[in-house]
Amino acid sequence: MTNPYLYKRYAKILKTKINRKNRSKDPLDNAIAKLFDASDLLEEIHKKIKDRRMIQEARKQFIITSVTSIEVLLREYFIQLLDLEIVINKFSEQLNKKDFSIEEMEFINENHISKSELIADSYNFQNLSEINKIFSDALSTNFFKDLKDYEFWFDKKNKKKGFFKLGDFYEDLDWLINSRHDFVHDINYKVKLPKKEVDDINLFCVKFALI
């Protein structure tokens, strides 16, 4: 593919497609495993490292991994929804409006890139307004509003069990996404992250993943 922008875009979709084959078919299993791994690693750092600067850096990396896990989970869920004909019909118009070049079509067909993957790639899963809109459209509901009152069973490594509601999660999730962005794109960005706050973040991310 001669157009470097298009090649980069489709190569990214293809790489994600290949990586998907090397992990569980259940997006939730992947997200929970990554969240627990990140939590376990941070716990080991808390036990063995006393340097405050390094601990703060580890907590930042924990937030980056946690938010990325949620982002990937939402994208994979959306792709699964798009695999349903009743859902993809709601989003197909944007593909119908696009004029794919012969070169693009050849790359898409040769690599078996699906309509669902193409559509999902056009959305930003780090933008709460966009996340709410696409899932609301896909499910014919007010997605975030319904999540507030959604009740589910939570079991964190058999330590905590019970029915939970997410409640007013929007501000917490918005803070997490913005913090991840700041940590990744501004190396000079500084914020103190107390251990209790980080523990609460881990619990929140696991609960959100279980919706």
Side-chain angles (χ1 to χ4, degrees):
M1 188 174 290
T2 55
N3 186 318
Y5 170 75
L6 290 177
Y7 176 78
K8 185 176 181 180
R9 179 191 173 189
Y10 292 125
K12 176 186 172 186
I13 297 175
L14 182 58
K15 182 178 180 181
T16 300
K17 185 183 188 74
I18 293 171
N19 289 339
R20 193 178 292 121
K21 295 179 180 179
N22 298 322
R23 55 182 184 247
S24 170
K25 292 182 179 180
D26 186 348
L28 178 59
D29 286 347
N30 297 318
I32 294 297
K34 182 60 69 174
L35 287 168
F36 281 162
D37 285 347
S39 177
D40 290 344
L41 175 60
L42 186 61
E43 191 62 33
E44 286 300 306
I45 290 173
H46 284 151
K47 291 177 182 177
K48 297 178 180 179
I49 295 179
K50 302 302 179 185
D51 186 289
R52 291 183 180 180
R53 181 182 59 82
M54 293 181 68
I55 289 174
Q56 285 295 314
E57 186 61 32
R59 290 174 182 173
K60 289 180 185 179
Q61 295 303 319
F62 168 78
I63 289 177
I64 291 171
T65 299
S66 298
V67 175
T68 301
S69 298
I70 296 297
E71 175 191 352
V72 173
L73 174 67
L74 290 171
R75 180 184 294 110
E76 293 299 307
Y77 271 160
F78 185 55
I79 289 174
Q80 288 187 351
L81 284 172
L82 289 171
D83 287 338
L84 302 174
E85 185 176 356
I86 192 173
V87 175
I88 198 169
N89 288 339
K90 299 177 182 180
F91 295 87
S92 291
E93 185 179 350
Q94 66 188 71
L95 285 184
N96 296 333
K97 289 180 178 179
K98 181 172 173 55
D99 292 323
F100 290 98
S101 68
I102 294 176
E103 192 178 21
E104 287 178 90
M105 289 304 302
E106 287 178 348
F107 188 89
I108 291 169
N109 291 329
E110 287 174 3
N111 293 285
H112 307 289
I113 295 174
S114 68
K115 288 183 179 179
S116 300
E117 290 166 326
L118 288 171
I119 292 171
D121 185 67
S122 65
Y123 290 104
N124 179 2
F125 292 87
Q126 296 178 27
N127 182 300
L128 291 189
S129 295
E130 194 160 340
I131 291 169
N132 188 42
K133 184 179 188 314
I134 61 177
F135 278 97
S136 294
D137 290 345
L139 299 170
S140 299
T141 184
N142 188 323
F143 184 58
F144 279 171
K145 183 176 183 295
D146 288 349
L147 287 187
K148 285 177 60 178
D149 298 320
Y150 183 78
E151 194 172 75
F152 59 93
W153 180 259
F154 174 63
D155 179 354
K156 183 182 179 184
K157 293 185 177 179
N158 298 312
K159 293 178 181 178
K160 295 182 179 179
K161 293 184 178 182
F163 285 101
F164 289 85
K165 288 185 179 181
L166 278 176
D168 295 317
F169 64 89
Y170 191 95
E171 288 187 5
D172 290 336
L173 188 55
D174 188 49
W175 181 87
L176 275 175
I177 290 174
N178 289 330
S179 294
R180 173 195 179 276
H181 182 275
D182 290 335
F183 294 151
V184 171
H185 298 285
D186 184 357
I187 60 173
N188 295 314
Y189 179 70
K190 293 182 179 180
V191 60
K192 286 187 177 180
L193 298 167
K195 185 177 185 303
K196 184 181 183 307
E197 185 173 323
V198 173
D199 289 341
D200 290 343
I201 288 170
N202 181 49
L203 185 60
F204 170 80
C205 287
V206 172
K207 284 183 180 180
F208 189 86
L210 289 170
I211 57 177

